[in-house]
Amino acid sequence: MALALPAAVFTALLFLLPVTILLSEAFTINGEWSLQGYVDFATTPLNQTVFLRTLKLGALVAFTSAIIGYACAFCIVNLEGKSRGRIFGLVVLPLMISPVARTYAWIVILGRTGIVNDTIVSLGLSDTPIRILFTETAVFIGLLQLFLPLMIISLVSSMENLPRDVISAARVLGANWFQVFTKVILPLTKDGLVMGGTLVFTGSLTAYITPAILGGSRVLMLETLLYQRVNVANDFVSAGVIATILIVMCFAANLLLKRIAKARS
Amino acid sequence: MSDAYVSLQNLSLAYGNSIVVPDLNIDIREGELIALLGPSGCGKTTTMRAIAGLMAPHSGKIIIDNVDVTRMPANKRGIGLVFQSYALFPHLTAFENAAFGLRLQKRPAAEIEERVTHWLATVDLVHLADRKPAEMSGGQQQRLSLARSLVMEPKVLLLDEPLSNLDARLRLEMRTELQRVQRDTGITMVFVTHDQAEALALADRIVLMKDGIIEQLGTPDELYNAPRTVFGADFFGFENIFEVSGQDLIGAKGKMPVAFGVTAGHMAWRPGAVSVGSGPWEGVVTGVAFAGEKREYVLDTDLGQIKAATDASDPAHQIGDRVFFDLPEAAAFSISG
Amino acid sequence: MQYKWTSRLVIGLTLTFLIGPFLIIVLAGLSAGDFMTFPPEGLSLKWYLKVFTVDSFRASFTLSMFLAVFGTIAALILGVPAAYAISRYDIPFGETIKTIVAAPIIVPGIIVGLALLRYLVVPLNFTVTLALFLAHTALVLPYAVRVVSASLNNLRSDMEEAAVLLGCTRLGAFMKVVLPNIQGGVLAAFILGFVTSFNQVPVSLFLSGPGVRTLPIDMLSYMEITYDPSVAALSALLAFLSVIIVFIAEKFLGFSRYV
């Protein structure tokens, strides 16, 4: 107890307390308790758009990374010892590299004079460069690249725990590959899926760098909106509201996915 | 109880609110080899941990060599413990593992060298002194763990399931080793086991425990041949135990009329005491196993299941056969409880 | 046979998507031209060299290094005992303590930065650097606790009891028996913490003052003003640094299992 206390007190005092005060500020206007901040926030069309876009992108990135993740994790798990470790290392590697660097690369690729546009123009598919940067597509691609490794890692580690030969057993019992996936692999790796899904979804909700660089002020997400509200308008009530929404969504995602995991087991 | 070297008096042990051992009294003589025997959850390991000082008793006293050690911290008690998992230090060589305690006492280097080498030699590990535990076999790790405790010349040596992690051949070797060390050093040893054969083979006296209570305390002979309770009889191989009530023998499935001299309590037969092929009752063979010198049968009878064993040279019966059998009173062991 | 090729294709495409962009910025940074283009207009090392002469990069690199090293050390000083208590003892409010310590992972960093700015820096006159240091420590703490706990859980607790029975105090047993055997985990925690702190952006977003900026923040603001290849060069250099650290860590610690 005495050993764990300093860490807990440190975090509680220097971390949770200031955050709690910030959140409570969204409930007070001119010193009085009020929900007006939330009402104002919810009735502004821009905020609605940003809120829905953040949810949509988060869900889309989580879903896409699950599909790619399963294919990739399945292939990795079936590799032989040495090359498996190497490939897994390459998947982990991007996580260690600055997200700024990781996102910056997409400007070079997706920009007006980037690789994609050069290719499109030189192939004659379009006369002028098309806009990819500062669209939801760009943000989606950036987020997917940022968080895909988390999904693959989660799925690989839960697939490693699959009992040996269950897949062969299912095949011998007459299951086709689709049935093997839905009836054997999916139920047995759902913990990894839930874990990866939570990480990717909440990661996407709370990402700042990617929407800032690849979305700009055209494709605002909740985090970039919060930054803008504070820096441009000095609007701490909106900031508190957005903060509350973000935290509630993160906790809700955690709880919901835990609940799903429990219910199905 | 003047000759008690280790004395547990009214010892009560609990984890949080759940009492594991309610009121335990055991006296152990100096130089004795005692087995705490019982199924898992009977409180034997908890008792051992309390003697070592790894858990504080709820109430009661622990006295070792006339000193009340009940409140003494584990690192001051001078008790050795050989863990079931050996608990060797993976980052240290065999020599340094064995020297660990002496180094803490800041003994002179020459003394450490001499004592450690002596005990490593005793367990035949001198040639592996520079190896790390991971580079040693299970049996070697076990012996190193023993040497590490013995180097400290403990007042009492506790052993937690000392043979359970070894294969059959090593088990026999280690058993001999333990007996030799005990005879040479005269050290008082307490070992915990769930294996009755191990306890019978090693111990001077056995403490049979169930649910934190002593069922019986005595020599291997007494426990094997004269169990005092149904539990004890069952534990030591009386596989057929039935209640006697008046002129009836009562089993799990039903009763059979008998005319025994005993009219209350329990009667118990080892499989070999049941005669198959002749007798007043009939049963159906539901299982046969050939076990070298014996042939083992499972019979379905009016009493319920009966386990029998006959000489392999006797005529064999097949599954499904109806056979006569007898539970002879003369071969039975009677338990008054 | 068919499966083998499909498998290679899947892995190849995924890795291209994950790692390909870095190769592109490495090359983009090698451009001899003044603007970001790909393929680069001629090859030169000038942008890679320019990175080292930009004053603000030097200052922000130093700050980021300071935060990453000392924030992580502070987190380990708080985190190792906490991990030990949580994994070894059935402490009262254990779950509550775990939740509190883990909170910085769940709470979005940008909110933390804003909260610290508003309630520590402004009213209590904390310097921005101190606030950054505290925030980075709190942020790294959960990783330190998690990684160290994982390696503690692989270590059987009866080893400590064995040490105590041989005469150690509890503290002695920890120093002599536990610590030497979780070295790898502590080192892995340090590396993970260092990288996490060094690359951290959202927390530092609001916690910047005149001359006080972490490197990633500095890069973001440099990008807004200038569109020359120096940020690509710097990104590539940072990526190389990470690759080297991870490579060494993987070689000696089997690092990827701790992530």
Side-chain angles (χ1 to χ4, degrees):
Chain A
M1 178 75 180
L3 292 173
L5 219 48
V9 170
F10 179 88
T11 305
L13 222 57
L14 292 170
F15 195 95
L16 291 178
L17 186 63
V19 171
T20 313
I21 301 176
L22 180 78
L23 297 186
S24 69
E25 201 157 323
F27 291 97
T28 43
I29 289 175
N30 301 327
E32 285 192 27
W33 197 89
S34 156
L35 278 175
Q36 197 55 43
Y38 285 86
V39 175
D40 290 347
F41 183 86
T43 48
T44 311
L46 172 71
N47 295 344
Q48 292 167 0
T49 315
V50 171
F51 175 77
L52 291 175
R53 177 188 293 140
T54 307
L55 266 188
K56 182 179 80 183
L57 280 172
L60 215 55
V61 172
F63 181 72
T64 314
S65 66
I67 293 175
I68 302 177
Y70 262 112
C72 192
F74 187 76
C75 297
I76 290 178
V77 170
N78 281 311
L79 287 174
E80 297 302 320
K82 218 170 185 182
S83 52
R84 173 173 166 175
R86 255 184 232 141
I87 301 284
F88 190 66
L90 286 176
V91 172
V92 173
L93 184 67
L95 290 177
M96 298 293 126
I97 297 177
S98 167
V100 175
R102 295 168 73 185
T103 309
Y104 190 71
W106 291 109
I107 295 185
V108 186
I109 299 168
L110 303 176
R112 281 181 71 81
T113 55
I115 303 166
V116 175
N117 266 319
D118 280 357
T119 316
I120 289 175
V121 173
S122 64
L123 287 178
L125 295 174
S126 164
D127 293 338
T128 51
I130 56 169
R131 176 186 294 285
I132 311 172
L133 213 56
F134 308 125
T135 64
E136 285 188 5
T137 312
V139 177
F140 169 77
I141 292 173
L143 289 174
L144 186 63
Q145 194 226 10
L146 210 55
F147 295 116
L148 180 59
L150 294 177
M151 179 63 91
I152 298 179
I153 291 170
S154 304
L155 289 177
V156 165
S157 55
S158 72
M159 278 191 199
E160 277 174 339
N161 296 333
L162 275 185
R164 249 192 126 50
D165 297 333
V166 282
I167 292 169
S168 315
R171 291 285 287 167
V172 172
L173 291 169
N176 63 33
W177 279 112
F178 179 74
Q179 290 164 325
V180 167
F181 181 76
T182 54
K183 294 200 188 300
V184 180
I185 300 180
L186 197 60
L188 286 174
T189 56
K190 68 165 196 306
D191 284 350
L193 177 65
V194 166
M195 170 90 173
T198 315
L199 289 173
V200 174
F201 182 68
T202 56
S204 302
L205 290 189
T206 59
Y208 172 81
I209 302 163
T210 311
I213 298 181
L214 300 178
S217 51
R218 248 174 226 279
V219 189
L220 283 172
M221 284 177 70
L222 283 175
E223 287 245 341
T224 41
L225 178 65
L226 188 157
Y227 185 73
Q228 228 187 36
R229 293 314 303 165
V230 172
N231 259 22
V232 178
N234 237 352
D235 174 5
F236 288 102
V237 174
S238 290
V241 173
I242 299 172
T244 314
I245 294 174
L246 282 173
I247 290 181
V248 168
M249 288 207 298
C250 289
F251 273 96
N254 273 300
L255 279 180
L256 189 74
L257 289 166
K258 250 182 216 162
R259 181 73 55 84
I260 294 172
K262 232 179 229 159
R264 299 220 344 242
S265 62
Chain B
M1 294 295 163
S2 54
D3 67 338
Y5 186 67
V6 177
S7 176
L8 311 183
Q9 301 175 356
N10 304 105
L11 199 62
S12 154
L13 305 169
Y15 288 112
N17 285 328
S18 75
I19 291 179
V20 183
V21 174
D23 182 22
L24 193 70
N25 290 282
I26 302 176
D27 283 323
I28 299 168
R29 291 187 283 269
E30 188 163 11
E32 202 172 20
L33 213 175
I34 287 265
L36 298 182
L37 174 68
S40 62
C42 74
K44 58 190 193 298
T45 303
T46 312
T47 306
M48 188 195 67
R49 290 174 62 81
I51 299 176
L54 293 173
M55 76 173 290
H58 188 252
S59 63
K61 271 192 200 169
I62 300 171
I63 291 169
I64 298 173
D65 197 9
N66 295 318
V67 179
D68 184 343
V69 299
T70 315
R71 301 283 157 216
M72 192 185 277
N75 56 347
K76 308 272 186 247
R77 284 194 192 185
I79 286 177
L81 172 53
V82 176
F83 287 82
Q84 184 175 10
S85 66
Y86 316 142
L88 296 169
F89 308 131
H91 62 301
L92 300 178
T93 60
F95 186 93
E96 286 306 319
N97 260 286
F100 189 87
L102 296 177
R103 292 221 190 279
L104 285 174
Q105 294 177 353
K106 305 223 181 329
R107 296 299 175 107
E111 185 194 335
I112 294 178
E113 174 77 31
E114 194 221 303
R115 277 169 70 178
V116 170
T117 311
H118 168 75
W119 285 107
L120 286 182
T122 308
V123 296
D124 194 21
L125 282 179
V126 178
H127 60 296
L128 300 178
D130 294 329
R131 293 253 185 109
K132 297 250 176 93
E135 301 156 350
M136 302 168 75
S137 72
Q140 290 164 345
Q141 291 185 23
Q142 166 82 294
R143 299 207 304 272
L144 176 57
S145 178
L146 182 64
R148 184 177 67 179
S149 294
L150 289 171
V151 168
M152 304 306 291
E153 288 161 11
K155 293 194 186 93
V156 180
L157 182 64
L158 309 171
L159 303 112
D160 189 4
E161 303 273 1
L163 308 179
S164 68
N165 281 346
L166 304 175
D167 65 38
R169 192 177 53 82
L170 280 174
R171 200 172 294 178
L172 193 68
E173 236 170 63
M174 194 66 206
R175 209 157 80 182
T176 322
E177 183 97 16
L178 279 176
Q179 281 172 321
R180 185 171 60 81
V181 167
Q182 210 261 338
R183 203 181 49 234
D184 291 353
T185 59
I187 215 164
T188 309
M189 291 190 189
V190 178
F191 76 101
V192 157
T193 181
H194 65 275
D195 180 352
Q196 47 105 356
E198 205 171 297
L200 290 172
L202 263 174
D204 295 325
R205 286 195 298 161
I206 295 172
V207 182
L208 179 65
M209 293 176 74
K210 183 196 170 197
D211 300 334
I213 294 168
I214 297 179
E215 285 276 316
Q216 192 169 354
L217 195 165
T219 63
D221 248 331
E222 288 165 355
L223 272 99
Y224 188 81
N225 292 317
R228 269 209 306 266
T229 61
V230 171
F231 174 79
D234 185 43
F235 211 85
F236 284 97
F238 288 92
E239 302 213 27
N240 308 299
I241 305 174
F242 302 105
E243 196 185 338
V244 185
S245 175
Q247 298 298 307
D248 282 333
L249 206 53
I250 305 171
K253 199 167 141 191
K255 349 176 151 186
M256 283 187 337
V258 288
F260 288 163
V262 181
T263 55
H266 285 80
M267 299 283 267
W269 289 265
R270 292 187 193 280
V274 180
S275 59
V276 178
S278 63
W281 297 298
E282 245 187 332
V284 177
V285 177
T286 58
V288 192
F290 177 70
E293 294 175 10
K294 293 273 181 191
R295 206 182 300 277
E296 295 168 358
Y297 291 101
V298 180
L299 306 178
D300 185 34
T301 72
D302 292 346
L303 280 175
Q305 217 173 53
I306 283 184
K307 289 190 181 147
T310 62
D311 284 342
S313 53
D314 289 358
H317 306 280
Q318 310 296 324
I319 290 182
D321 287 358
R322 292 191 72 81
V323 291
F324 289 103
F325 71 95
D326 191 11
L327 297 170
E329 186 179 12
F333 181 77
S334 156
I335 303 159
S336 55
Chain C
M1 219 47 224
Q2 188 200 357
Y3 166 73
K4 200 170 173 187
W5 286 106
T6 318
S7 156
R8 280 187 189 169
L9 189 70
V10 169
I11 292 175
L13 284 176
T14 312
L15 286 180
T16 307
F17 176 62
L18 290 178
I19 294 175
F22 294 121
L23 305 179
I24 288 170
I25 50 169
V26 171
L27 293 175
L30 283 171
S31 171
D34 290 341
F35 297 99
M36 283 287 292
T37 46
F38 191 89
E41 305 166 2
L43 292 177
S44 103
L45 275 174
K46 68 176 180 180
W47 297 111
Y48 279 90
L49 296 174
K50 192 200 165 193
V51 167
F52 293 95
T53 64
V54 179
D55 282 342
S56 76
F57 283 162
R58 289 224 296 255
S60 56
F61 178 79
T62 313
L63 176 66
S64 279
M65 269 298 198
F66 166 82
L67 290 174
V69 172
F70 292 100
T72 306
I73 290 177
L76 282 173
I77 291 174
L78 290 169
V80 174
Y84 185 70
I86 291 169
S87 76
R88 284 296 186 267
Y89 300 108
D90 196 10
I91 52 174
F93 309 111
E95 281 306 311
T96 316
I97 288 178
K98 260 193 250 178
T99 313
I100 292 176
V101 173
I105 289 187
I106 303 179
V107 179
I110 193 168
I111 300 169
V112 176
L114 181 60
L116 291 188
L117 177 73
R118 298 245 316 147
Y119 307 109
L120 286 185
V121 177
V122 176
L124 301 177
N125 261 327
F126 278 36
T127 62
V128 173
T129 314
L130 178 60
L132 274 173
F133 170 74
L134 296 174
H136 279 239
T137 303
L139 199 74
V140 172
L141 188 54
Y143 295 96
V145 171
R146 195 184 68 195
V147 174
V148 174
S149 296
S151 64
L152 275 171
N153 289 340
N154 290 332
L155 201 68
R156 299 188 53 118
S157 61
D158 48 16
M159 254 172 40
E160 292 136 72
E161 296 183 338
V164 166
L165 288 171
L166 292 168
C168 265
T169 56
R170 280 276 164 194
L171 180 66
F174 179 79
M175 302 302 283
K176 281 185 181 0
V177 173
V178 177
L179 216 46
N181 286 302
I182 58 166
Q183 263 175 7
V186 174
L187 202 57
F190 181 84
I191 292 170
L192 189 63
F194 178 90
V195 171
T196 307
S197 162
F198 195 89
N199 292 336
Q200 168 62 37
V201 167
V203 166
S204 321
L205 215 48
F206 286 112
L207 294 174
S208 303
V212 186
R213 263 190 197 150
T214 64
L215 185 57
I217 301 288
D218 205 25
M219 286 165 72
L220 279 178
S221 50
Y222 188 92
M223 266 152 68
E224 281 170 15
I225 305 163
T226 334
Y227 191 60
D228 69 25
S230 58
V231 173
L234 181 53
S235 296
L237 287 175
L238 289 178
F240 273 127
L241 191 69
S242 306
V243 171
I244 291 168
I245 293 176
V246 170
F247 182 77
I248 293 174
E250 180 66 39
K251 187 120 192 150
F252 293 102
L253 300 171
F255 183 64
S256 49
R257 75 197 143 102
Y258 289 110
V259 176

